[in-house]
């Protein structure tokens, strides 16, 4: 990482970034150019802090076809960010506040109904803030929905928050109405 001053290494801060973020941008390999698609996601860490991501979608489609060919993928997750405007525009230029996690891993299509149920519960829990066991997912949904499990191989986290230079957190504009304010 070039900007070590913005690197986030504390696992609890990384978990907070994931908690506050709701869209994953997944990049898959094609013959010509990367194919990037935004979706909602769920996630979990095991006892050794190994990150696993879950993505849902249609049971057929381009994304699934690409995973069948080559499951290696990259991802970026961010909290939506906010524009930071300087107190004195003559002294500074605007900047952007954000927190993000990006990395790569191996994506696999999930067929096992128990794993699909767990993945959907993790996704719904993440998106709604409710506990996993509050979601009774029907067998029909389990049979129909496409679920992708990403075993993350490596990731980094980064943040740029108000307080640097002469930027004022009171002059931040939330450009994503679904994003949580970070101050």
């Amino acid at each position: 990482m070039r900007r070590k001053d913005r690197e986030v290494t504390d696992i609890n801060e990384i978990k907070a970034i994931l908690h506050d973020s709701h869209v994953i941008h997944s990049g898959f390999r094609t013959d010509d150019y990367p194919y990037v698609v935004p979706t909602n996601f769920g996630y979990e860490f095991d006892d050794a802090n190994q990150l696993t991501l879950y993505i849902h979608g249609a049971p057929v489609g381009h994304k699934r076809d690409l995973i069948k060919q080559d499951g290696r993928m990259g991802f970026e997750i961010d909290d939506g960010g906010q524009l930071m405007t300087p107190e004195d525009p003559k002294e500074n230029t605007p900047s952007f506040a954000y927190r993000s996690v990006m990395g790569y891993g191996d994506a696999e299509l999930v067929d096992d109904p128990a794993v699909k149920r767990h993945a959907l519960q993790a996704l719904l829990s993440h998106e709604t803030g409710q506990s996993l066991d509050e979601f009774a997912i029907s067998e029909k949904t389990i049979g129909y929905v496409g679920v992708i499990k990403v075993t993350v191989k490596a990731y980094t986290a980064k943040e740029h928050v108000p307080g640097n230079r002469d930027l004022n957190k009171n002059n931040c504009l939330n450009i994503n109405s679904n994003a949580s304010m970070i101050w």
Side-chain angles (χ1 to χ4, degrees):
M1 179 174 300
R2 183 181 65 82
R3 293 291 306 261
K4 291 290 188 185
D5 59 318
R6 294 184 181 172
E7 184 176 23
V8 177
T9 58
D10 181 274
I11 190 66
N12 292 319
E13 290 181 38
I14 293 167
K15 289 177 180 180
I17 294 169
L18 292 170
H19 176 270
D20 294 342
S21 302
H22 295 280
V23 176
I24 182 172
H25 299 91
S26 301
F28 301 97
R29 300 166 64 102
T30 72
D31 292 335
D32 297 316
Y33 298 98
Y35 175 76
V36 179
V37 61
T39 60
N40 295 109
F41 70 100
Y43 68 95
E44 63 186 356
F45 286 89
D46 66 14
D47 292 337
N49 283 322
Q50 168 63 46
L51 175 59
T52 300
L53 301 168
Y54 299 104
I55 305 168
H56 80 298
V60 296
H62 190 55
K63 173 176 54 185
R64 295 179 67 82
D65 291 342
L66 292 173
I67 292 169
K68 287 176 189 175
Q69 293 172 17
D70 186 345
R72 294 176 293 176
M73 57 89 71
F75 66 88
E76 187 275 343
I77 299 167
D78 64 70
D79 67 355
Q82 290 112 11
L83 178 65
M84 296 187 297
T85 58
E87 288 182 19
D88 182 357
K90 295 176 186 170
E91 298 296 322
N92 282 309
T93 58
S95 190
F96 204 75
Y98 65 88
R99 298 180 306 154
S100 66
V101 176
M102 57 189 293
Y104 59 88
D106 295 323
E108 62 182 281
L109 305 176
V110 176
D111 294 319
D112 182 309
V115 177
K116 285 174 87 170
R117 181 178 312 281
H118 176 76
L120 292 171
Q121 287 173 320
L123 192 144
L124 288 168
S125 177
H126 174 237
E127 292 302 325
T128 67
Q130 298 174 347
S131 69
L132 287 177
D133 57 359
E134 292 187 37
F135 298 102
I137 299 170
S138 72
E139 294 302 318
K140 180 180 177 183
T141 298
I142 297 296
Y144 173 77
V145 73
V147 172
I148 299 163
K149 176 181 177 181
V150 179
T151 303
V152 176
K153 298 289 188 182
Y155 63 90
T156 58
K158 190 174 177 181
E159 69 180 0
H160 181 216
V161 295
N164 298 340
R165 301 186 349 232
D166 191 26
L167 297 168
N168 181 352
K169 73 178 183 179
N170 296 321
N171 292 344
C172 290
L173 301 174
N174 184 356
I175 65 165
N176 180 348
S177 61
N178 293 326
S180 303
M181 296 299 281
I182 61 173
W183 37 78

